[in-house]
Amino acid sequence: MNVGFIGLGIMGRPMAKNLIKAGYKLTVYDKFAKAAVEELVGAGAKSASSNKEVAASSDVVITMLPNSPHVKEAVLGKDGVLEGAKSGLILVDMSSIAPGASQEICAAVKEKGVVMIDAPVSGGEPKAIDGSLAIMVGGDEKAFNTVKPLLDKMGASVIRTGDIGAGNVTKLANQIVVALNIAAVSEAFVLATKAGVNPEAVFNAIKGGLAGSTVMNAKVPMMLDGNFKPGFRIELHIKDLQNALDTAHALNVPVPLTANVMETMQALKMDDMAANDHSAIVRFYEKLAKVEVRK
Ligand code: NAD
């Protein structure tokens, strides 16, 4: 099986490396990240000069791009995947995009016999590196079964939740839970710190109880170190929450807590923190209370 991989950013680069390690023949392309392309070629991949060229030599093409417009451009645009694809190609979009956009792109590529599934991920860079992502899939069941062994090399859990778009609906749910969890942790730890209790001791005392979470385990150590290097950038989380708000409003579903965290992230963007990790949500609460959650 020849595999194409498009988008070698924070997530795509380690995910592609895991496929090479597993023995897959990879052709890679990134429109901007030339150093990442060279790194992958060093690890054994072939490089292509366009998305079209990737598709021409692949049975399966994986895309790992920022948002809906990037996936539309890379797949349907000039020199895009669709121009190079042969009938029967399976397109696995692992980017987190609007569920409606997944459905539109899937319908457009179907005319050329290409089958698309959406397969966004959760777990961030550490789990992309060790191949233990949570992968949530929507789309054709036969195509899913064909690519499942490939997805298993990048994820510890690979679960199909429904038809095309269902993967991204699941991811929106995931992103709401993650954003609200970081905000709750931030509010709680700012309070504890201002009350004069060591935040590291608070973390150790509560992480094994009901309040403990994967989010708390990943993000509190970053807060305690004042390390807000991404990881997952606030600007990407703003993108996800915008997709969540748009999808919710189209379905007449009020999402008041999501709207609240969205405005917190907008305030951080205004404070030039859009490129920081989303654990920097704590900075918003720190500013309100004039205290820093540090070791
Ligand atoms: P990133 O910005 O680091 O990487 C995206 C890559 O796509 C960049 O290297 C960029 O040059 C490339 N690109 C953009 N347009 C292109 C085009 N038209 N053709 C080819 N390449 C193009 O982003 P990331 O952090 O790797 O995230 C990728 C996706 O995964 C996003 O949807 C994000 O929301 C999601 N995600 C990220 C994380 C995380 O922790 N970073 C976790 C889970 C999910």
Side-chain angles (χ1 to χ4, degrees):
M1 182 186 277
N2 290 320
V3 179
F5 206 112
I6 295 170
L8 303 171
I10 290 178
M11 298 295 283
R13 193 168 33 142
M15 289 162 70
K17 275 192 183 167
N18 282 334
L19 294 180
I20 294 175
K21 267 189 226 150
Y24 287 99
K25 283 192 212 127
L26 240 64
T27 305
V28 299
Y29 177 70
D30 191 295
K31 194 170 171 184
F32 305 106
K34 302 301 167 207
V37 171
E38 278 167 27
E39 194 180 321
L40 264 292
V41 168
K46 268 197 326 189
S47 76
S49 59
S50 67
N51 293 314
K52 176 182 172 179
E53 204 179 297
V54 171
S57 59
S58 303
D59 308 303
V60 173
V61 170
I62 295 172
T63 42
M64 192 53 170
L65 303 167
N67 197 8
S68 317
H70 308 87
V71 180
K72 281 187 183 167
E73 186 205 314
V75 175
L76 307 176
K78 188 173 161 351
D79 289 330
V81 170
L82 196 56
E83 284 186 15
K86 42 192 176 296
S87 178
L89 182 135
I90 300 176
L91 170 64
V92 184
D93 180 35
M94 302 191 76
S95 330
S96 307
I97 71 173
S102 298
Q103 288 159 350
E104 276 173 42
I105 300 165
C106 180
V109 299
K110 198 174 175 185
E111 287 172 18
K112 209 177 160 184
V114 172
V115 185
M116 172 178 166
I117 63 175
D118 59 324
V121 310
S122 177
E125 189 184 18
K127 289 183 184 248
I129 292 170
D130 67 19
S132 64
L133 292 164
I135 305 180
M136 4 192 161
V137 185
D140 184 81
E141 199 161 5
K142 191 164 159 251
F144 169 66
N145 288 331
T146 305
V147 298
K148 170 93 173 25
L150 184 77
L151 298 178
D152 283 334
K153 301 295 179 212
M154 296 181 279
S157 102
V158 181
I159 295 189
R160 180 178 172 275
T161 56
D163 293 331
I164 186 72
N168 272 305
V169 169
T170 310
K171 174 68 182 179
L172 290 183
N174 182 85
Q175 291 307 81
I176 291 173
V177 173
V178 171
L180 268 51
N181 202 333
I182 298 175
V185 165
S186 298
E187 198 167 292
F189 277 69
V190 162
L191 169 63
T193 307
K194 187 95 183 198
V197 182
N198 181 322
E200 193 173 17
V202 174
F203 176 49
N204 289 331
I206 70 175
K207 68 185 179 191
L210 191 56
S213 66
T214 309
V215 168
M216 185 184 282
N217 288 343
K219 300 303 171 184
V220 170
M222 294 179 76
M223 295 173 187
L224 292 173
D225 287 341
N227 164 25
F228 301 112
K229 182 175 168 284
F232 191 66
R233 297 191 299 276
I234 283 175
E235 62 197 355
L236 282 178
H237 216 145
I238 286 177
K239 174 264 301 184
D240 289 335
L241 293 191
Q242 190 62 57
N243 286 337
L245 292 169
D246 291 344
T247 304
H249 295 161
L251 293 166
N252 291 323
V253 178
V255 281
L257 292 174
T258 304
N260 185 302
V261 187
M262 173 62 135
E263 294 312 309
T264 297
M265 292 202 199
Q266 294 292 340
L268 290 164
K269 183 177 158 192
M270 283 309 297
D271 273 344
D272 295 325
M273 282 188 254
N276 285 17
D277 187 74
H278 53 174
S279 53
I281 286 175
V282 75
R283 305 279 303 271
F284 174 83
Y285 290 92
E286 288 175 348
K287 195 172 166 185
L288 294 182
K290 296 194 169 42
V291 70
E292 284 196 338
V293 177
R294 300 289 178 274
K295 267 182 193 156

